[in-house]
Amino acid sequence: MRIGTGYDIHRLVEDRRLVLGGVEIPYHKGLLGHSDADVLSHAIADAILGAAGLHDIGHFFPDTDPKLEGIDSQIILRKAIAEVSHLGYKLQNIDSTLIAQEPKIGPHINSMKRVLSNSLGVTEDSIGIKATTNEGVGDIGKGLAIAAQAACLLVN
Ligand code: MG
């Protein structure tokens, strides 16, 4: 068994879509990034890659590559799974936390699980997604950014 952890943070800005866990969430701001800036999917991808001792997603998907502009982060997740599968590992489960002052995440969690289970090739009950605010503290608490943490277990 191999454990992995991942963390990511993106700035919340005007005129961007808000995509979390592969689901577009109606909100007047979105996350800034070279890809679709899906902070939850990025944290999960890094947890998966890290569990296998591989490089992080910046290695596989450099933000300097113009071909990757606006890339759907579900492609990144599929690549992470392909890389660890190649080494003989299977994803057992994921647990994750989104840290966002706004908007309300709870109503979208089941949709995120559906999308992520499809990308990761595991059942929805193998994916934990929790959400918390930052209690108004710091930049996340002021609504300037959204962060995510993830842990995963790989088995072979
Ligand atoms: Mg990221």
Side-chain angles (χ1 to χ4, degrees):
M1 291 186 286
R2 307 272 300 220
I3 192 169
T5 72
Y7 169 82
D8 197 18
I9 185 167
H10 283 260
R11 288 174 190 278
L12 261 178
V13 296
E14 308 280 341
D15 300 320
R16 286 277 299 186
R17 297 185 309 141
L18 178 59
V19 181
L20 296 172
V23 174
E24 186 163 344
I25 293 172
Y27 191 54
H28 66 282
K29 289 182 182 176
L31 294 175
L32 184 63
H34 189 63
S35 65
D36 63 8
D38 182 343
V39 66
L40 177 59
S41 296
H42 294 179
I44 292 172
D46 267 348
I48 293 166
L49 293 168
L54 294 170
H55 289 292
D56 64 20
I57 59 172
H59 171 84
F60 293 98
F61 296 92
D63 64 6
T64 48
D65 185 345
K67 287 199 300 292
L68 299 176
E69 179 130 31
I71 187 177
D72 179 346
S73 293
Q74 300 314 296
I75 294 170
I76 295 174
L77 282 178
R78 287 173 191 275
K79 170 75 172 169
I81 289 292
E83 287 291 326
V84 300
S85 301
H86 194 67
L87 297 173
Y89 294 113
K90 187 177 157 302
L91 179 60
Q92 183 71 29
N93 77 302
I94 292 279
D95 192 19
S96 64
T97 304
L98 267 167
I99 308 151
Q101 198 62 35
E102 279 191 342
K104 283 248 174 291
I105 305 296
H108 306 286
I109 285 180
N110 285 342
S111 306
M112 292 180 199
K113 287 187 180 187
R114 209 171 305 130
V115 172
L116 292 172
S117 74
N118 204 20
S119 300
L120 297 169
V122 296
T123 55
E124 290 175 33
D125 64 2
S126 305
I127 301 173
I129 305 174
K130 293 97 62 200
T132 182
T133 71
N134 215 38
E135 293 289 338
V137 175
D139 289 343
I140 294 173
K142 291 191 196 92
L144 298 176
I146 292 177
Q149 298 177 335
C152 82
L153 196 66
L154 301 183
V155 292
N156 71 355

